[in-house]
């Protein structure tokens, strides 16, 4: 069963939708900014998720994951960092544009 992945899909879909809409309406953020944000957030998530999972603060039912892990953290846990990396540059661009009006 892939319950954790199914929980993450709506967040990823909304974040991607917002990013594409903002890019279409404003021309930004650039893909380079999105990728840079993605790299930073995934790296931070890799470190801190592994710490909290290894320390037993957070646990995952192995029957509800894909079984793929980066360290001790399931790959599904990175979906929220990916969603944030898509959403944050888009919101920054949108709010910055609104502030200039």
């Amino acid at each position: 069963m892939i319950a954790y992945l199914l929980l993450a899909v709506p967040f990823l879909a909304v974040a991607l939708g917002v990013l594409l809409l903002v890019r279409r309406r404003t021309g930004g953020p650039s893909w380079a900014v999105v990728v840079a944000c993605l790299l930073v957030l995934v790296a931070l998530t890799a470190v801190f998720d592994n710490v909290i999972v290894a320390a037993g603060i957070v646990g995952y039912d192995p029957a509800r994951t894909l079984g793929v892990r980066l360290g001790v953290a399931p790959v599904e846990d990175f979906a929220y960092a990916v969603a944030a990396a898509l959403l944050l540059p888009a919101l920054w661009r949108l709010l910055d544009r609104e502030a200039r009006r």
Side-chain angles (χ1 to χ4, degrees):
M1 183 175 218
I2 54 173
Y4 295 124
L5 182 61
L6 292 176
L7 287 173
V9 166
F11 293 98
L12 289 167
V14 168
L16 182 61
V18 169
L19 174 64
L20 294 176
L21 180 64
V22 170
R23 280 186 50 83
R24 189 156 141 227
R25 296 181 103 192
T26 69
S30 70
W31 288 114
V33 168
V34 174
V35 169
C37 187
L38 179 68
L39 292 174
V40 169
L41 288 176
V42 168
L44 290 170
T45 300
V47 171
F48 292 108
D49 278 9
N50 275 284
V51 169
I52 65 173
V53 172
I57 297 169
V58 175
Y60 293 92
D61 180 355
R64 297 181 186 270
T65 67
L66 292 172
V68 178
R69 294 184 176 268
L70 296 173
V72 294
V75 72
E76 293 91 338
D77 206 25
F78 289 81
Y80 301 103
V82 172
L86 298 175
L87 190 59
L88 290 175
L91 291 177
W92 185 290
R93 173 69 177 215
L94 186 64
L95 294 173
D96 184 48
R97 182 177 168 94
E98 293 297 322
R100 282 189 253 148
R101 285 188 183 177

